[in-house]
Amino acid sequence: MAGRDLRALFSTNDRGLTTAEAFTNRHTQWDLVAAALAAHLRHTADPAFDAEDLEAARNNVITFHGVGGIGKTTLSRKLEAALADAGHRPDQWGAPTWTGERIVPVRIDLSRSAGTDFEQIILTIRAALTEIGRPLPAFDVALRRYWEHQHPGEPLEEYLRRGGLASRFGKALPQQMQSALSDVAQALLLPGTVGSAVGQVTGSLVRALRERRQTVRALAGCARLADLLEAEPDLDALSYYPHLLAWELAQLPADKTATPVILFDTFEDVGDRTHRDMERLLQRVVWLMPAAFFIITGRSRLQWANPALQGQLDYTGPAAWPGLAASAVVPPARSTAPAAARGGRQVLIGDFSPEDCDDYLARRLARDGQALISEDVRRVIADRSHGLPLYLDLSVMRFLEIRRTGRTPQPADFDHDFPALIARTLSDLTPDERHVLRSVALLDAFDIPLATQTTGMQHEAPARRLIERPFVREYTFGLWPYHLHALIRSTVRNADDQADDRWTPRDWQQAAERALAALGAQWTASTAPGRMLLVGCLRQGLALARDFGLDLGWLTDAAWAYVSDSVWEPVAPPAQQNVDGEPTAADSLVELLSTLARRQHEHRERTADRLTAVVEAGLLPAELQEMAVYYLAKAQRDLGRSDDSRRGMQLVVDGDGRLAPAARRGLAHLARLAGDFPTALATAENLGWAGRHHRVRGDVWWLQGDLDRAAAAYEAARDEAEQHGVAGERATSQAQRAFVLAFRAPDQAEDEIDLAQQFLDGLDLRATTLTTRIAALVRDAGSSGVEDQARILRTEASVAGLVTADATVELAVCFHHAVLGNHGPLADSIVRLQEMSQNADYAYFVDIAHFMAGLPVPDEASSGAQWIDGPGPTRDRWRALVTARRRYLSSAR
């Protein structure tokens, strides 16, 4: 039964209000352990229990999982102490229900820093059991054989001393093992010094067991001992020796009976979700010692009840581990001893999930059995809390405080930071650690050097101490491994700090300047900065420059590096809260890069509107203003606004900046769209790599029906992009190559399309993705299902605002109908092409459609395009492609 929340109870005169505590000082976790262990003791005391049963389901484990730094290790240590000596049990932890049973707790730290290997784990468990005061012969003989084989010449006593096990558990283990070996040797009537005859002892013992001699009848009951002694004494064999321990414990007389309680702490460090070698060995220990009870603490739930892990682990599925199945997980608000006794053995501790937060708030205050805090208020509080229980507590008190004024609390009342969180967070920090905490609150993530440079300190020690605090979370595989708990970070930055050493606005400004400089230094100093570091530095740097009105500095070069690869990861920081003052260059740069990234997911009309606003604001330095103008001109071209696009491109060319070659390419594209192919081709001769000369040539040649020359140009463009390490251009050129080859060689196109899709993996290029899919449409021309594909592609091109893609889809459909000789549908597609090209762009697509079908182009429909070698040869090439496709389809039937 939940306890009363006295603080809430004494915060109101409402006697009809009921309050309840959802958690208190880990006593709930103790209750769970006590209940589960009591149930385990009852199970093992049942006469039907068999320690050698390898098939029965296991319910001898309970796991506590939660975020790093929430106190799982402290809980593990407290549990070990409380189980070892009732005098070390906290006052608020109730007495367990069992009496008289002998509990032998042993905690094993699995953290990487502890460096505990599997050998040490087995030795630690056996060393703890020396408390029983007698040898465990079956296990001890096997372990001695393993030791002599794996550590020849190394005394076990020295190893135990060096590893700290001798000081922790005493020096009885070597003596007990020697005693076991001597007893077995004596029973076998072996001569000589036993200590140097381990192999002889084990060999003779195996023969005696196989021959069922009376001299070894004490060990004959262990059915699998001979097999284990015959097995190669390696690590795998060692992992099965716990079965011998389980058998020996089952043979103990009543006055020596003991139940090991083994606590595995920091279980997340035994491996990852793809490499479970160590986890498999540990699971084997748990399974082979059914009389022992295991308490596992780690960051994640145990997945042993997941049948999908069969093959990675020895024992999997809910039938094997009923207490670990998903339905048996115990969330914090429901973590009660009866739940554990019924079989729920996966217990979440630490930060609450949104559902747990809602459940907590709903239970915390009630009237007539109904939650007092409304659902919409609970939702806001849960979102703001980031799962931190203390924030939920403070919000409940704020709810009661507002209610005392006679007003019903509203969701807006809880868009609030609590200074008490700062006080709680800072309470045990040194002044230097407080300085580091405030500094890193400016950063989404950090490492030790970045934190130190942001503080302006010359030494790293305070930062290293801070990362050990529970509110600093670690993600080992992140670009920067550390980040503050989201709520703590928000509170430190935004709440009314009343500490004596609180920062002034100028302090925050200077720290932001140091942070921005430190990020820039990390990016520029890296010998191989890579895309991930660039994007990470940009995201953090843009937020700092925007929020504190800082000069752009290195962000200008970073912005150019970002656009150069045409990858377009999201880089915009979250929207700024409580925006005051005039917009700055940083605001415009955030909007510019955000627009460029979002254009892969928005209609080009929206992109053009956003870029127009950036250009008209005029806040960017000249070189970044050029970037905005250029990409606005590209969006205008995609929308079919060729005149506007031409003006923008020419403006960039005249500026002769970084994008001048790209703008010259843009003008070549516009010439091509207008049907001025000779000008486009001549322009390509002077573009070079920066202007993507090979791709511009390919764009001209395929329209002439000269697909071999176009494919070669695109291949050269792809290879050149690969040499320069520009992934986006490589993917675009390959997609175009796949598209043109799909007309001529559908079988070859299959491989080319696959390669384009591989190049697109991890990139966000909407137009190029559509090109690849149109290539597949062309490849399938003359087959069934083409029109259905085309309908989908038309919709996607229209949603994106990509006029080019829309027209190209229609041209592909014309090719399909020409191959099949479908004159009526072909005429309909030609009409659609005419409607699309009313502004003169793509008008030559109408000509090409007629060429494909072998039809004359009506004078009123002719585009007047300037074909490279005249309309006649161009017509012949396109018609030949249709004829070749018909032959291909006929031969395939």
Side-chain angles (χ1 to χ4, degrees), residues 39 108 134 145 176 183 225 240 306 390 398 401 426 583 600 644 673 678 726 790 812 847 857 863 881 885:
I108 301 174
R134 57 183 290 163
R145 175 173 177 261
Q176 289 185 7
D183 291 345
L225 174 58
Y240 289 100
N306 183 356
L390 179 57
R398 179 171 174 79
E401 180 183 336
L426 299 179
Q600 307 299 328
D644 291 337
L673 294 179
V726 181
D847 296 359
V857 182
S863 67
L881 289 168
R885 179 60 62 91

Side-chain angles (χ1 to χ4, degrees), residues 390 394 417-427 429 434 437-438 488 490-499:
L390 179 57
L394 295 170
D417 294 299
F418 292 104
L421 279 174
I422 297 182
R424 184 73 63 90
T425 304
L426 299 179
S427 61
L429 300 183
R434 293 182 179 201
L437 173 64
R438 292 188 175 100
I488 298 300
S490 170
T491 304
V492 169
R493 284 193 61 172
N494 302 319
D496 184 14
D497 188 348
Q498 296 299 314

Side-chain angles (χ1 to χ4, degrees), residues 31-52:
D31 291 344
L32 286 164
V33 170
L37 182 53
H40 176 74
L41 292 170
R42 290 193 297 272
H43 172 65
T44 56
D46 190 318
F49 174 76
D50 181 3
E52 291 189 275

Side-chain angles (χ1 to χ4, degrees), residues 43 49-50 52-59 287 290 315 319-322:
H43 172 65
F49 174 76
D50 181 3
E52 291 189 275
D53 188 343
L54 299 180
E55 298 180 356
R58 298 297 195 255
N59 211 25
W287 187 270
Y315 313 97
W321 306 97

Side-chain angles (χ1 to χ4, degrees), residues 30-31 33-35 37-38 41-42 82-83 85-86 89-90 93-101 103:
W30 164 254
D31 291 344
V33 170
L37 182 53
L41 292 170
R42 290 193 297 272
L83 290 168
D85 185 347
R89 192 171 63 237
W93 287 10
T97 57
W98 65 83
T99 56
E101 286 84 353
I103 304 297

Side-chain angles (χ1 to χ4, degrees), residues 184 187-188 204-205 208-209 212-221:
V184 171
L188 294 169
S204 299
L205 176 58
L209 290 170
R212 302 179 182 276
R213 297 181 198 168
Q214 286 297 311
T215 54
V216 291
R217 62 181 179 276
L219 295 175

